[in-house]
Amino acid sequence: MLVNTKLHKLLIKYFLFSLFLTAIIYLYNLVINVQETNYFYCDEVINYQAKFFNNVFNFNYIFSCDEPKYFYILDNPHDLLNGQKNYYQQRPIYISFAIIIKYLIAAVTNIFDIYFPFINQLSFLILQNLILTFQMIFLRFIMQNFNKEIYYNDFFISLIIFFNPMNKWSIFQPGHQNMTTLIFLIGVWIFQKNTYLSKPKLIILGL
């Protein structure tokens, strides 16, 4: 019970760190330094317009060439396992979590009667932050396996994760690149623990 409590607190702490650092990256790359920001060939910065409670405002966000297909499956989840070959089918668990997050957000907006047109973008933004949160946790586990007596600064661990250049754009787009880093960290942790994984667990990890 004590271990679970500590893990829950760690999850909340790292998730809040992730949101804080995401906000800083957003302000720097998409507000302050937007003219000098260079993105991958598939991404570009788009100025969107949103209306909330009769107030109209503009904001910059990333548009990815992968976005339409990912957003389509969020709007049509029944097509996730159809016969068509789409790259998002390579990570069915990843896209399933995005779908769950979208329906949770939609439930909240419906309860409070709020019209929110960027629910797909927000769903993937939350999912990316959750993935980064678990990256931080497994990096901490890996570092502790080297030396359990050393005190590890959790915010510093968060910074290490966010120093990954990929996060410059991956946080704000629907691709599953961050999952690759997470799986790598999980693999290192498993190797350190010398833990045997059963076939069902390996299949889940592969998905």
Side-chain angles (χ1 to χ4, degrees):
M1 181 65 70
L2 182 60
V3 174
N4 289 336
T5 301
K6 287 183 178 180
L7 184 58
H8 291 158
K9 289 181 178 178
L10 201 61
L11 276 167
I12 294 172
K13 181 191 293 186
Y14 279 143
F15 185 67
L16 292 175
F17 283 160
S18 181
L19 291 178
F20 174 72
L21 293 172
T22 296
I24 291 178
I25 291 177
Y26 177 86
L27 288 173
Y28 181 76
N29 284 332
L30 298 181
V31 178
I32 299 172
N33 200 40
V34 64
Q35 297 299 328
E36 300 179 15
T37 300
N38 294 316
Y39 286 90
F40 194 59
Y41 76 95
C42 190
D43 301 321
E44 61 179 317
V45 180
I46 300 292
N47 186 261
Y48 293 94
Q49 186 178 83
K51 182 178 181 181
F52 293 104
F53 302 108
N54 297 322
N55 295 314
V56 178
F57 64 93
N58 296 320
F59 67 97
N60 294 325
Y61 206 76
I62 302 298
F63 174 83
S64 170
C65 61
D66 297 335
E67 191 172 291
K69 289 187 177 181
Y70 277 101
F71 286 5
Y72 170 82
I73 205 63
L74 256 64
D75 297 330
N76 303 275
H78 55 277
D79 287 341
L80 178 60
L81 299 178
N82 64 17
Q84 299 178 11
K85 297 296 182 181
N86 290 305
Y87 38 78
Y88 52 70
Q89 291 176 330
Q90 298 172 7
R91 292 276 182 238
I93 292 181
Y94 168 80
I95 199 68
S96 296
F97 275 116
I99 293 170
I100 292 170
I101 293 171
K102 176 182 177 176
Y103 277 93
L104 290 175
I105 297 173
V108 173
T109 56
N110 289 334
I111 290 173
F112 294 98
D113 195 23
I114 299 173
Y115 172 68
F116 186 69
F118 302 101
I119 190 170
N120 288 336
Q121 287 90 336
L122 181 59
S123 300
F124 278 108
L125 180 64
I126 293 174
L127 179 57
Q128 297 291 5
N129 274 275
L130 286 172
I131 293 171
L132 292 173
T133 297
F134 280 99
Q135 286 185 19
M136 296 169 192
I137 287 174
F138 278 99
L139 178 60
R140 189 179 197 269
F141 289 166
I142 291 169
M143 295 172 69
Q144 285 181 329
N145 284 334
F146 281 110
N147 192 333
K148 296 186 185 225
E149 304 299 324
I150 296 177
Y151 169 76
Y152 295 102
N153 185 287
D154 290 324
F155 188 70
F156 178 72
I157 291 174
S158 303
L159 285 176
I160 293 175
I161 294 298
F162 271 80
F163 279 150
N164 182 349
M166 185 187 301
N167 290 332
K168 183 177 184 180
W169 63 82
S170 63
I171 299 176
F172 306 110
Q173 53 105 312
H176 51 68
Q177 295 93 330
N178 283 325
M179 280 293 294
T180 303
T181 305
L182 176 59
I183 292 171
F184 172 78
L185 290 172
I186 293 175
V188 173
W189 175 72
I190 291 173
F191 179 77
Q192 284 184 328
K193 299 290 287 184
N194 196 22
T195 302
Y196 171 78
L197 292 183
S198 62
K199 287 184 179 180
K201 290 181 180 179
L202 287 173
I203 292 173
I204 293 174
L205 186 61
L207 292 174

